[in-house]
Amino acid sequence: MHSIDEIARYARKNLPYDYIALTDHSKASRVANGLNEHQFLQQLKAIREVNERLGRDFVKSGAEVDILPDGALDLSDEVLGQLDIVVAAIHGSFSRDNTQRLIKACENPNVAIIGHPTGRLIGTREAYPVDMQRVIEAAAATGTALEINAQPDRMDLNDEWARLAREKGVRLVINTDMHQLSNFDYMKLGVIVARRAWCTAEDILNTGKWKDVQAFVERKRKGTPSRGSKLLSWLHG
């Protein structure tokens, strides 16, 4: 496990990014040592301290919050609203139809991105039952982005679903799902998926400046989504 300071300094030295976002798992993800509300607030303070040492607002605060079986989120809206970016994802109850669960997460104003939307693990687990056309429509209606998770065992969304999302006006985010520093290199795989989906830079939210990402998040939180536009790597703990 790398410290926030180590991650930030590695990225600043080795990568051409204007910003990175730290999105640890929430408390329901016990296997991933998910954080509770208090721990996320502590992390928010630590991120500010790291940015002060760096002399710039480089690390953005975030969370990969679990979508619970009833569609509720694993962290309070009070805490989620203090973070720069929120990814919501399913990490359990894979055998059920999870369509409505994902749609409900899209409807939460604090959720900017749905992470690895089909839940597949290549060679290990098939995608859970989900009507992705309905999820894509919900993402378009609510101004929620969908993730292209670049981990080699996920590649989720795949190029076909990513292309449909693009055609429906849904913004996409390429995320390395990083767990160690070498995983930053996975970004290249996510870019390949996006290209296969006929995406341009305008389709990928994290090709823009941070002010563009921030505007996207604020529109979602205010309930006024609109389609708008260096690569960002969302970091998982």
Side-chain angles (χ1 to χ4, degrees):
M1 175 71 73
H2 300 287
S3 70
I4 299 171
D5 192 71
E6 288 172 335
I7 294 169
R9 292 188 183 280
Y10 177 89
R12 291 276 289 143
K13 179 180 179 181
N14 297 285
L15 301 166
Y17 298 154
D18 290 333
Y19 49 85
I20 59 174
L22 189 68
T23 56
D24 274 315
H25 288 281
S26 61
K27 56 186 182 294
S29 294
R30 295 178 181 176
V31 174
N33 296 315
L35 308 183
N36 60 33
E37 281 87 350
H38 177 67
Q39 289 170 316
F40 271 107
L41 294 178
Q42 287 183 314
Q43 185 180 83
L44 179 58
K45 180 180 178 181
I47 287 172
R48 290 170 177 161
E49 292 172 351
V50 167
N51 285 334
E52 287 179 5
R53 288 195 293 272
L54 292 175
R56 59 172 297 185
D57 190 17
F58 180 67
V59 184
K60 309 301 178 180
S61 62
E64 182 182 359
V65 59
D66 264 50
I67 306 171
L68 302 176
D70 63 356
L73 301 182
D74 188 38
L75 295 171
S76 68
D77 284 332
E78 180 182 2
V79 169
L80 295 176
Q82 296 183 57
L83 303 177
D84 292 318
I85 195 84
V86 174
V87 183
I90 289 174
H91 297 99
S93 299
F94 299 123
S95 62
R96 56 181 290 177
D97 187 310
N98 283 303
T99 304
Q100 196 57 40
R101 191 175 173 188
L102 290 170
I103 289 173
K104 187 172 180 180
C106 286
E107 293 171 346
N108 186 297
N110 285 311
V111 174
I113 304 160
I114 298 295
H116 43 77
T118 74
R120 74 171 182 175
L121 289 175
I122 298 172
T124 302
R125 183 178 71 218
E126 295 292 327
Y128 42 62
V130 59
D131 185 338
M132 275 306 302
Q133 293 200 37
R134 287 184 59 202
V135 173
I136 288 170
E137 290 168 0
T142 58
T144 307
L146 298 179
E147 177 189 69
I148 297 174
N149 188 300
Q151 278 277 349
D153 59 351
R154 287 195 182 273
M155 306 297 281
D156 180 14
L157 290 173
N158 64 25
D159 55 333
E160 293 181 1
W161 287 126
R163 182 177 175 183
L164 179 61
R166 180 189 65 80
E167 291 172 350
K168 296 293 185 180
V170 175
R171 301 298 296 279
L172 297 163
V173 167
I174 302 175
N175 175 15
T176 61
D177 199 353
M178 176 203 148
H179 290 77
Q180 53 186 337
L181 297 177
S182 61
N183 293 169
F184 272 117
D185 291 341
Y186 293 158
M187 182 61 77
K188 299 173 185 177
L189 300 178
V191 171
I192 290 171
V193 173
R195 287 175 173 168
R196 287 175 59 88
W198 296 13
C199 292
T200 67
E202 291 185 355
D203 300 307
I204 309 299
L205 180 62
N206 53 325
T207 60
K209 298 293 184 182
W210 179 254
K211 64 181 179 63
D212 301 318
V213 179
Q214 192 173 36
F216 179 90
V217 171
E218 289 305 312
R219 284 194 296 267
K220 175 69 189 287
R221 286 176 170 166
K222 293 177 181 177
T224 55
S226 64
R227 193 180 191 280
S229 175
K230 312 194 146 202
L231 288 174
L232 157 67
S233 176
W234 308 110
L235 306 181
H236 296 255

